[in-house]
Amino acid sequence: RAAVSVREVTHRYGRGAEEVTALGPLSLEVPAGEFLVLVGPSGCGKSTLLRLIAGFERASSGTVTVGGEPPEPGRRAGVVFQQPRLFPWRTVGDNIGLALRYAGVPRAERAARIGALLERVDLAGVADRRVWQISGGQQQRVAIARALAGERELLLLDEPFAALDALTRERLQEDLRRVGAETGSTSVFVTHSVDEAVFLGTRAVVLSARPGTVALDIPIGLPRT
Ligand code: ADP
Ligand code: ADP
């Protein structure tokens, strides 16, 4: 269980005349166990904020910590972005196996866990295919399975279900809610769907237009069952 702390963070891309302030100054505390839903207009810096929390980028100013420490990519957070970032030349099973290994799942248990995770995202039977051989939608489902694989203490999800069919989306929303309730993991979830926000979230933060700052911060308060 990891709390996320974002203090006085700004983020800029580019230099000189090309410089764009994408985010902040923004401060946000996400207590352990919370399911934070992040919404706001396109370009307000939601993905940037997730990348900073994931440790893929360093903030231009301010500090980000996860569990009191600077975030390190791949350590504590399961991450799903709009573009699946898998190892394309490895098999589907290897990609998930690597996450299980990082999560400390013993080798002997990994094959069964990979099978169960793939079933959950409706991909039973593709474990031995190489990632580049499957479709974009299938790759996104593999990325979701990988994020759920380690029952990570922190989940960072950027519109992970946007490209999926309604049935798969509903199943995965239910999975995600159950994982949150059972493991007490902390989540930050970007979405444009009010239904999804209300179904999943314990709290919603709305960012203003670029550069994003916190415009609204409201508890949703539905019981997580
Ligand atoms: P959102 O996820 O809310 O749509 P982003 O975090 O993707 O917003 O983008 C915030 C702002 O930063 C936008 O103006 C976007 O064009 C800009 N931006 C994002 N990534 C880059 C980048 N790699 N280089 C330059 N500008 C970027
Ligand atoms: P261990 O020796 O700890 O049992 P392995 O080295 O066999 O683990 O790897 C565990 C999982 O991680 C396997 O699914 C493997 O394919 C995957 N893996 C290992 N190294 C890499 C890598 N560099 N890139 C992608 N996947 C990897």
Side-chain angles (χ1 to χ4, degrees):
R1 292 161 56 89
V4 177
S5 173
V6 177
R7 292 202 191 115
E8 291 296 314
V9 162
T10 62
H11 199 64
R12 292 179 286 277
Y13 294 102
R15 278 161 201 279
E18 311 259 289
E19 189 175 275
V20 166
T21 300
L23 191 70
L26 184 147
S27 297
L28 192 62
E29 297 290 322
V30 189
E34 187 159 78
F35 199 119
L36 182 81
V37 176
L38 193 61
V39 296
S42 183
C44 72
K46 303 182 293 295
S47 300
T48 299
L49 180 57
L50 286 197
R51 285 201 294 272
L52 294 171
I53 297 171
F56 294 156
E57 277 180 73
R58 293 266 304 275
S60 303
S61 68
T63 55
V64 177
T65 58
V66 173
E69 292 163 12
E72 260 179 80
R75 292 298 297 158
R76 320 176 73 157
V79 173
V80 184
F81 286 107
Q82 282 152 315
Q83 303 301 320
R85 292 175 197 204
L86 304 166
F87 295 103
W89 63 93
R90 315 273 312 211
T91 67
V92 166
D94 278 356
N95 271 274
I96 297 174
L98 185 62
L100 292 170
R101 178 179 161 214
Y102 281 156
V105 175
R107 194 185 193 111
E109 290 173 25
R110 286 182 213 153
R113 293 275 289 270
I114 290 168
L117 283 158
L118 287 177
E119 224 160 82
R120 212 184 250 188
V121 294
D122 269 330
L123 284 179
V126 308
D128 295 329
R129 306 275 297 281
R130 301 209 178 253
V131 165
W132 64 266
Q133 294 176 307
I134 62 175
S135 74
Q138 289 177 318
Q139 290 182 19
Q140 184 65 344
R141 281 184 271 157
V142 174
I144 291 164
R146 181 181 62 178
L148 297 176
E151 296 186 356
R152 315 299 286 267
E153 47 192 322
L154 177 64
L155 288 171
L156 302 172
L157 306 120
D158 193 348
E159 295 192 69
F161 307 144
L164 302 179
D165 63 274
L167 252 178
T168 309
R169 183 162 58 232
E170 241 170 71
R171 283 185 46 183
L172 291 174
Q173 284 168 350
E174 268 159 32
D175 276 344
L176 202 55
R177 190 152 95 154
R178 189 165 35 75
V179 166
E182 283 174 8
T183 67
S185 58
T186 311
S187 301
V188 182
F189 187 97
V190 172
T191 183
H192 281 110
S193 158
V194 172
D195 279 355
E196 197 160 82
V198 171
F199 181 73
L200 289 171
T202 57
R203 172 180 166 204
V205 165
V206 183
L207 299 188
S208 58
R210 196 190 96 202
T213 56
V214 175
L216 198 62
D217 188 340
I218 43 174
I220 298 178
L222 293 177
R224 287 173 88 176
T225 50

